[in-house]
């Protein structure tokens, strides 16, 4: 890793209660991510990809070990501090897009900015810039129900990028998309990664995604089994 | 984010989501608006009745207060015999100025159509203007003793203007006497206690019949009478004299509030149910809010405002059909003919009175209760794990 670490994970263990016993989802994970990486957590279902992504996004907390995100220890953050970290520094992209159905494209993208102290004109500029990145400036007034899956995911990307976060965490972003749309989406994210130096971390088992990654971390049964840096990535 | 921005965001989200929910929202809003309108309508009707009855009772019977002979008790007929005293010069001066209306009361027996009926005879000064009674028709003419009676009394005794009626009474010495009186006029009054079983004669005539020259049982105070301290007479203020009416009104209000409460509960249960369903169905949305940087209390706030916003829409919808309805009822009134047969002071037509206070209190009640029932299910959000919410797997 050529860049300084913005996410640093050491000896992370995550257990979930299952009845009277516990299930270990992540076991002794130590890994770091630098600024501007385009990395992926790859592995079969139940390997712990999403759990690791959620902990890095401060949506969940570790059972053991340390997770530092942008210099903040996730386990020591209050709910309010976690919310602030997510709001200002982390963008999320979900498999099912998770767009707010009653909002227009513009409003969906604007939502994250409403939680920040920005003026109306600043918000408008940021939203339009973001929609321009994903090529949806002609759909600002459409509602999610009027968009295709690919368009919905592009809105989700715009929403995650509108606040110019340092990190974007994408959980299976292409799982619901056809091949053509998947490539479009990935190309968009790759461009944003290059232009804005935003760190993208994916949880995926989609080979199409892997083609674009600079780094692939293989997970199996909650453990990192391989961490590959790829210099010759697509595009 | 400032507090104002938070509230505006919550309101904006709430209304967007409510509009997005379509029919479900409008069904809840309709039920709540119906409860809202019924509460205002019923209370407006009771208030209208209250105002009308108080005004009528004061105009026809109690005036601005009454001075009773110390022995007099309106609920005890046996006290009437001894409840009389002469009017002092001070009182006579006030009577002359029409600030006081003297009334002598006695029990008697009337024989309408050959039947026998216990009645109260009240002697009233024909020139008085304190009470609305048409006493001017009691002015004597020749040997005829004129009387006035109310419509109810006339109907129950089958008497008409010009009819003669035999009455029998005991004078101050306990001696029976009888004579015929003639009905000079029949007045229409909404206060049953002024009408039922009552015959009004000229005060002079009754005083002569009773052998009680210058004596009266009570004095009814008019608007111009200020002094409330007449020696040997007990002053009874309007609060005392209208206490029975107040009790009836309170009882009616209490009865009505049960119906209003039930209606409101139905509406609130609908909102509660919608909220529970909404929180269950919209877990991913809740998870997304949190992922986008909202705190859980903020999300709870959004859902609470959303539920509470039903009440704002209900107020607006209620205003759409309620205002024209209330204006119409305020103009044409509500027929109360059936209730006139009872002993309640009620007009043939009640004109509802909708005070600003009533409307504000009702809006406040509906908004607060809707917000509370919206908050209760929304509290569950604060216990949600965002990761579970995002997966939508909470049960």
């Amino acid at each position: 890793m050529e860049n300084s670490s913005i996410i640093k994970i050491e000896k992370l263990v995550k257990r979930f209660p299952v009845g009277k016993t516990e299930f270990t989802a992540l076991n002794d994970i130590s890994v770091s991510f630098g600024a501007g990486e385009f990395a992926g957590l790859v592995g079969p279902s139940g390997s712990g990809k999403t759990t690791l992504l959620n902990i890095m996004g401060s949506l969940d907390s570790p059972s053991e070990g340390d997770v530092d995100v942008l210099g903040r220890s996730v386990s020591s953050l209050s709910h309010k501090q976690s919310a602030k970290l997510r709001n200002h520094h982390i963008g999320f992209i979900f498999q099912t897009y998770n767009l707010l159905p009653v909002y227009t494209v513009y409003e969906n993208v604007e939502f994250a900015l409403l939680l920040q102290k920005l003026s109306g004109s600043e918000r408008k500029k940021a939203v339009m810039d973001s929609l321009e990145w994903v090529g949806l400036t002609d759909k600002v007034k459409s509602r999610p129900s009027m968009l295709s899956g690919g368009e919905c995911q592009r809105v989700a990307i715009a929403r995650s990028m509108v606040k110019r976060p340092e990190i974007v965490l994408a959980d299976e972003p292409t799982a619901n998309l056809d091949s053509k749309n998947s490539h479009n989406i990935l190309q968009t994210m790759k461009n944003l990664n290059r232009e804005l130096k935003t760190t993208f971390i994916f949880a995926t088992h989609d080979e199409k995604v892997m083609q674009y990654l600079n780094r692939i971390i293989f997970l199996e049964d909650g453990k990192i089994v391989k961490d590959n840096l790829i210099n010759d990535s697509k595009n | 984010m400032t507090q104002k921005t938070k509230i505006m965001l919550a309101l904006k989200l709430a209304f967007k989501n409510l509009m997005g929910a379509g029919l479900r929202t409008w069904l809840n809003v309709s039920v709540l608006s119906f409860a809202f309108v019924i509460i205002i309508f019923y209370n407006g009707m009771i208030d209208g009745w209250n105002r009308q009855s108080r005004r009528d009772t004061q105009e026809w019977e109690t005036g601005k207060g009454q001075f009773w002979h110390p022995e007099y008790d309106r609920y005890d007929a046996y006290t009437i015999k001894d409840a009389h005293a002469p009017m002092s010069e001070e009182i006579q001066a006030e009577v002359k100025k029409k600030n006081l209306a003297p009334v002598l009361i006695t029990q008697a027996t009337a024989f309408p159509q050959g039947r026998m009926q216990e009645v109260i005879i009240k002697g009233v000064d024909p020139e008085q203007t304190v009470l609305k009674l048409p006493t001017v028709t009691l002015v004597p003419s020749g040997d005829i003793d004129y009387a006035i009676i109310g419509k109810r009394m006339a109907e129950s005794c089958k008497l008409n203007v010009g009819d003669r009626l035999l009455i029998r009474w005991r004078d101050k010495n306990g001696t029976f006497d009888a004579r015929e009186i003639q009905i000079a006029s029949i007045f229409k009054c909404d206060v049953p206690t002024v009408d039922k079983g009552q015959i009004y004669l000229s005060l002079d005539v009754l005083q002569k019949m009773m052998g009680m020259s210058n004596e009266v049982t009570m004095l009814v105070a008019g608007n111009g009478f200020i002094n409330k301290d007449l020696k040997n007479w007990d002053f009874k203020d309007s609060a005392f004299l209208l206490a029975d009416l107040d009790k009836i009104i309170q009882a009616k209000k209490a009865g009505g509030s049960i119906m209003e409460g039930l209606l409101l509960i139905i509406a609130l249960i609908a909102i509660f149910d919608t909220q529970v369903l909404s929180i269950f169905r919209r877990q991913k949305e809740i998870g997304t809010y949190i992922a986008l940087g909202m705190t859980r209390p903020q999300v709870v706030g959004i859902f609470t405002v959303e539920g509470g916003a039903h009440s704002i829409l209900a107020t607006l919808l209620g205003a759409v059909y309620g205002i024209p309805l209330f204006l119409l009822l305020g103009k044409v009134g509500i027929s109360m003919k059936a209730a006139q047969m009872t002993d309640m002071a009620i007009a043939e037509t009640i004109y509802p009175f909708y005070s600003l206070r009533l409307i504000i209190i009702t809006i406040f009640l509906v908004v607060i209760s809707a917000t509370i029932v919206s908050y209760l299910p929304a509290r569950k959000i604060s216990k949600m794990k965002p990761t579970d919410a995002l997966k939508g797997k909470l049960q």
Side-chain angles (χ1 to χ4, degrees):
Chain A
M1 275 174 292
E2 68 273 24
N3 300 315
S4 59
S5 297
I6 58 168
I7 298 175
K8 199 172 172 189
I9 300 168
E10 276 181 30
K11 295 183 178 173
L12 167 66
V13 177
K14 180 65 185 177
R15 295 187 201 94
F16 293 109
V18 180
K20 287 179 182 174
T21 60
E22 281 188 326
F23 166 72
T24 305
L26 294 171
N27 193 2
D28 198 26
I29 300 282
S30 294
V31 67
S32 296
F33 295 93
E37 279 202 50
F38 204 73
L41 305 171
V42 176
S45 293
S47 59
K49 311 183 291 287
T50 301
T51 305
L52 183 54
L53 216 60
N54 285 339
I55 292 172
M56 287 191 281
S58 188
L59 288 170
D60 208 346
S61 55
S63 304
E64 284 175 30
D66 294 323
V67 177
D68 273 20
V69 177
L70 300 165
R72 298 165 183 86
S73 172
V74 166
S75 47
S76 65
L77 295 177
S78 65
H79 284 305
K80 211 172 172 179
Q81 288 167 327
S82 291
K84 198 175 174 186
L85 175 70
R86 288 192 295 271
N87 184 230
H88 286 86
H89 305 288
I90 303 172
F92 288 90
I93 299 169
F94 304 99
Q95 178 181 338
T96 49
Y97 328 128
N98 290 30
L99 299 179
L100 303 173
V102 295
Y103 273 22
T104 62
V105 165
Y106 183 92
E107 289 164 335
N108 262 287
V109 177
E110 188 192 26
F111 187 87
L113 298 180
L114 291 174
L115 302 168
Q116 297 180 4
K117 286 175 186 168
L118 289 176
S119 67
S121 56
E122 285 173 318
R123 279 205 307 271
K124 190 174 180 184
K125 188 181 180 312
V127 172
M128 292 314 290
D129 284 350
S130 194
L131 286 171
E132 203 173 323
W133 293 332
V134 297
L136 281 176
T137 46
D138 57 333
K139 302 272 185 184
V140 285
K141 287 182 180 166
S142 304
R143 289 185 192 280
S145 58
M146 298 153 74
L147 303 176
S148 68
E151 286 171 329
C152 282
Q153 197 59 296
R154 276 150 67 192
V155 177
I157 293 169
R159 182 177 65 182
S160 72
M161 291 302 299
V162 73
K163 56 196 177 189
R164 302 282 186 104
E166 286 90 335
I167 304 159
V168 170
L169 303 172
D171 190 4
E172 305 277 13
T174 56
N176 282 355
L177 301 178
D178 58 33
S179 178
K180 191 183 169 196
N181 269 314
S182 295
H183 283 295
N184 279 340
I185 293 294
L186 289 161
Q187 193 57 59
T188 305
M189 289 194 272
K190 188 77 188 173
N191 292 341
L192 289 168
N193 168 252
R194 279 187 186 150
E195 287 172 27
L196 305 174
K197 304 291 174 211
T198 307
T199 302
F200 278 79
I201 302 173
F202 295 83
T204 185
H205 53 249
D206 184 349
E207 288 187 6
K208 293 189 289 294
V209 177
M210 289 182 229
Q211 295 169 31
Y212 288 82
L213 300 174
N214 298 127
R215 183 184 175 193
I216 301 176
I217 299 162
F218 291 92
L219 286 169
E220 211 171 284
D221 297 331
K223 286 185 175 177
I224 294 176
V225 291
K226 217 191 294 179
D227 187 347
N228 286 354
L229 281 173
I230 302 152
N231 294 322
D232 187 25
S233 64
K234 190 172 180 177
N235 300 310
Chain B
M1 195 164 47
T2 63
Q3 201 61 32
K4 190 185 161 195
T5 319
K6 278 181 194 170
I7 292 167
M8 291 310 293
L9 175 62
L11 280 172
K12 190 179 167 192
L13 271 172
F15 279 102
K16 286 242 171 207
N17 283 321
L18 282 179
M19 293 302 141
L23 183 65
R24 195 153 33 94
T25 295
W26 290 110
L27 284 175
N28 287 337
V29 166
S30 301
V31 176
L32 194 59
S33 80
F34 187 59
F36 176 70
V37 168
I38 289 287
I39 290 171
I40 293 181
F41 165 73
Y42 189 79
N43 282 293
M45 194 178 76
I46 295 280
D47 286 349
W49 172 24
N50 188 13
R51 282 163 65 93
Q52 234 167 314
S53 300
R54 292 181 85 86
R55 191 182 59 232
D56 287 348
T57 307
Q58 286 183 325
E59 285 177 358
W60 285 87
E61 189 180 25
T62 63
K64 294 293 164 190
Q66 292 179 343
F67 290 93
W68 288 6
H69 184 276
E71 293 293 322
Y72 179 64
D73 178 354
R74 61 178 167 174
Y75 298 116
D76 185 357
Y78 293 108
T79 64
I80 295 175
K81 189 165 66 76
D82 301 318
H84 50 86
M87 291 186 281
S88 65
E89 283 184 6
E90 180 197 2
I91 292 171
Q92 287 181 46
E94 293 293 341
V95 171
K96 225 168 205 177
K97 283 191 261 178
K98 296 188 171 39
N99 288 333
L100 286 175
V103 181
L104 178 63
I105 304 172
T106 190
Q107 282 186 292
T109 308
F111 298 90
Q113 316 288 326
R115 291 182 291 120
M116 192 172 82
Q117 186 176 339
E118 292 301 315
V119 293
I120 296 285
I121 297 183
K122 289 179 176 170
V124 191
D125 178 7
E127 291 174 2
Q128 67 81 30
T129 53
V130 172
L131 299 173
K132 219 175 168 181
L133 289 164
T135 48
V136 69
T137 53
L138 293 174
V139 175
S141 154
D143 291 339
I144 301 167
D145 292 324
Y146 288 115
I148 56 170
I149 56 172
K151 201 178 162 194
R152 289 180 179 85
M153 177 70 178
E155 279 171 6
S156 70
C157 296
K158 297 187 170 48
L159 290 169
N160 293 305
V161 174
D163 285 356
R164 287 178 175 258
L165 176 68
L166 180 65
I167 53 170
R168 188 185 67 174
W169 73 96
R170 279 171 186 256
D171 66 13
K172 71 172 180 183
N173 301 315
T175 310
F176 277 111
D177 201 350
R179 75 167 64 169
E180 268 193 336
I181 53 170
Q182 186 174 330
I183 306 301
S185 70
I186 295 169
F187 59 85
K188 189 175 171 297
C189 168
D190 295 326
V191 186
T193 50
V194 175
D195 181 340
K196 274 188 172 174
Q198 318 259 329
I199 296 172
Y200 295 85
L201 296 177
S202 164
L203 180 62
D204 284 346
V205 170
L206 187 60
Q207 281 172 340
K208 278 178 197 155
M209 284 162 59
M210 297 297 293
M212 295 177 185
S213 180
N214 193 38
E215 290 190 43
V216 292
T217 307
M218 68 158 80
L219 300 149
V220 183
N223 285 329
F225 191 74
I226 301 160
N227 180 15
K228 287 183 180 173
D229 189 22
L230 292 178
K231 204 178 170 189
N232 299 326
W233 295 89
D234 294 342
F235 181 70
K236 306 291 178 188
D237 62 9
S238 291
F240 174 84
L241 295 168
L242 298 172
D244 287 349
L245 178 65
D246 288 340
K247 277 179 194 163
I248 292 172
I249 297 287
Q250 285 307 319
K252 286 280 161 196
K253 272 199 170 176
S257 63
I258 293 171
M259 182 188 72
E260 293 161 12
L262 285 173
L263 206 59
L264 190 60
I265 285 169
I266 291 169
L268 295 178
I269 287 173
I271 295 175
F272 186 86
D273 186 47
T274 303
Q275 284 288 92
V276 171
L277 187 71
S278 187
I279 287 158
F280 179 75
R281 286 178 56 182
R282 289 161 61 191
Q283 289 172 45
K284 274 194 180 181
E285 187 183 327
I286 292 165
T288 307
Y289 287 141
I290 295 170
L292 290 175
M294 288 190 111
T295 60
R296 277 179 271 198
Q298 280 176 329
V299 184
V300 170
I302 283 177
F303 277 75
T304 304
V305 169
E306 193 175 311
H310 280 99
S311 58
I312 297 168
L313 290 177
T315 306
L316 296 174
L317 180 66
V320 168
Y321 65 85
I323 290 173
L325 180 72
F326 293 156
L327 288 175
L328 180 72
L329 289 175
K331 200 173 176 188
V332 301
I334 301 161
S335 174
M336 284 290 160
K337 276 184 182 164
Q340 278 208 309
M341 292 298 112
T342 66
D343 283 337
M344 293 185 289
I346 193 162
E348 199 174 285
T349 304
I350 280 185
Y351 295 92
F353 176 72
Y354 309 107
S355 65
L356 188 64
R357 183 172 170 271
L358 168 66
I359 293 166
I360 289 172
I361 287 175
T362 310
I363 291 175
F364 193 70
L365 172 76
V366 171
V367 170
I368 292 291
S369 38
T371 306
I372 290 170
V373 294
S374 304
Y375 171 70
L376 296 175
R379 279 184 313 172
K380 196 178 175 186
I381 294 168
S382 62
K383 291 173 191 157
M384 274 185 188
K385 283 179 75 177
T387 47
D388 289 342
L390 279 167
K391 288 176 199 162
K393 72 176 197 181
L394 291 166
Q395 294 299 314

